[in-house]
């Protein structure tokens, strides 16, 4: 069974418009609850026969938990849990493609470029930690931030390698999903710590685009697995 061709884009557009309207016209707490409700809608959509895969279940559960914790973002305990859950999301995404990456062969030049990219990202991560609000400076804040940052860098690096290696629709959707989640977190961080409303709007767009790309990735992966099983049966 295949979903209507334009259902997911239309559904995503409606969700984004609703969330943007709420951010502009209502208070932040309401926007957080609406965001959580929107994520729950995507979770139910993922559970439908169109998109459900066992491999993706953990990622979507973690995404739902993350948006639930976000409601109390200022609370130190919830803030710490968000870092842990967001790190787990990126590591879970990494594990989705890890099996295929093990077969990836790289030359010396690619390894050098990869190491340089990692060093630059760690430097940027250090500067982000320095930007963090002092209101969030609890005892394990910096450690959790670095743990989260390393998980993001690992996942983004894996997504880029996966996309370069396979260069198909599935790999492009996966890369788009990972990058959108990373940019969503970055823009939310800037919005919260620097107080720029515009970044909250960008965060919403990146977040729900990331979820949509991930659902598309799961859908294509399931179709590919079905085709492989059909060939095996023949």
């Amino acid at each position: 069974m295949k979903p209507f061709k334009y259902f997911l884009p239309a559904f995503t557009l409606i969700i984004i418009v609703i969330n943007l309207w709420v951010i502009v016209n209502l208070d932040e707490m309401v926007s957080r609850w609406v965001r959580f409700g929107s994520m729950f809608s995507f979770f139910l959509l993922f559970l439908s026969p169109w998109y459900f895969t066992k491999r993706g279940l953990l990622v979507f559960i973690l995404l739902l938990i993350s948006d639930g914790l976000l409601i109390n973002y200022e609370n130190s305990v919830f803030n710490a849990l968000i870092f842990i859950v967001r790190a787990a999301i990126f590591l879970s995404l990494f594990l989705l493609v890890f099996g295929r990456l093990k077969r990836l062969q790289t030359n010396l030049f690619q390894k050098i470029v990869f190491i340089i990219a990692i060093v630059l990202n760690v430097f940027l991560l250090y500067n982000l930690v320095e930007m963090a609000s002092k209101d969030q400076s609890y005892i394990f804040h910096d450690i959790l931030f670095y743990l989260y940052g390393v998980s993001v860098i690992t996942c983004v690096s894996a997504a880029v390698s996966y996309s370069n290696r396979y260069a198909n629709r599935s790999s492009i959707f996966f890369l788009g999903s990972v990058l959108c989640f990373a940019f969503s977190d970055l823009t939310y961080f800037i919005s919260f710590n620097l107080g720029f409303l515009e970044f909250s709007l960008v965060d919403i767009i990146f977040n729900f685009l990331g979820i949509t790309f991930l659902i598309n990735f799961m859908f294509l992966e399931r179709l590919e697995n079905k085709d492989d099983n059909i060939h095996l049966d023949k």
Side-chain angles (χ1 to χ4, degrees), residues 84-103:
I84 295 171
V85 172
R86 296 304 291 186
I89 288 170
F90 282 99
L91 291 176
S92 298
L93 288 169
F94 168 73
L95 291 175
L96 289 177
V97 298
F98 177 69
R100 296 188 179 186
L101 288 176
K102 288 192 296 184
R103 301 192 295 267

Side-chain angles (χ1 to χ4, degrees), residues 127-140:
N127 284 279
L128 282 177
V129 173
E130 293 298 310
M131 283 175 56
S133 171
K134 293 182 179 179
D135 294 336
Q136 298 176 344
S137 295
Y138 43 85
I139 187 169
F140 296 118

Side-chain angles (χ1 to χ4, degrees), residues 26 30 33 39 55 66 79 82-83 104 106-107 118 129 143 150 174 182 188 203 209 221 231 233:
L26 302 177
V30 174
W33 276 105
M39 181 60 228
R55 295 175 67 235
S66 174
N79 190 271
I82 287 172
F83 275 115
L104 183 64
T106 58
N107 55 40
I118 292 293
V129 173
I143 295 175
V150 169
F174 182 77
Y188 186 89
D203 159 48
L209 283 179
E221 283 283 288
H231 291 312
D233 292 337

Side-chain angles (χ1 to χ4, degrees), residues 3-9:
F4 176 60
K5 183 177 180 181
Y6 299 108
F7 173 76
L8 187 56

Side-chain angles (χ1 to χ4, degrees), residues 183-199:
F183 284 125
S184 172
D185 287 359
L186 178 61
T187 50
Y188 186 89
F189 176 84
I190 294 173
S191 170
F192 182 82
N193 288 281
L194 301 181
F196 292 137
L197 174 65
E198 296 81 2
F199 282 93

Side-chain angles (χ1 to χ4, degrees), residues 55-117:
R55 295 175 67 235
L57 183 59
L58 176 60
V59 179
F60 274 88
I61 290 175
L62 291 172
L63 285 168
L64 186 63
I65 293 172
S66 174
D67 279 353
L69 293 172
L70 196 64
I71 296 170
N72 295 290
Y73 186 73
E74 291 82 2
N75 183 287
S76 296
V77 175
F78 283 86
N79 190 271
L81 289 173
I82 287 172
F83 275 115
I84 295 171
V85 172
R86 296 304 291 186
I89 288 170
F90 282 99
L91 291 176
S92 298
L93 288 169
F94 168 73
L95 291 175
L96 289 177
V97 298
F98 177 69
R100 296 188 179 186
L101 288 176
K102 288 192 296 184
R103 301 192 295 267
L104 183 64
Q105 295 182 351
T106 58
N107 55 40
L108 179 60
F109 175 75
Q110 290 173 320
K111 291 178 180 178
I112 293 174
V113 172
F114 179 78
I115 292 172
I116 292 173

Side-chain angles (χ1 to χ4, degrees), residues 160-174:
V160 172
S161 299
Y162 178 66
S163 179
N164 288 337
R165 169 62 179 84
Y166 293 96
N168 54 23
R169 290 178 63 199
S170 176
S171 66
I172 292 172
F173 276 127
F174 182 77

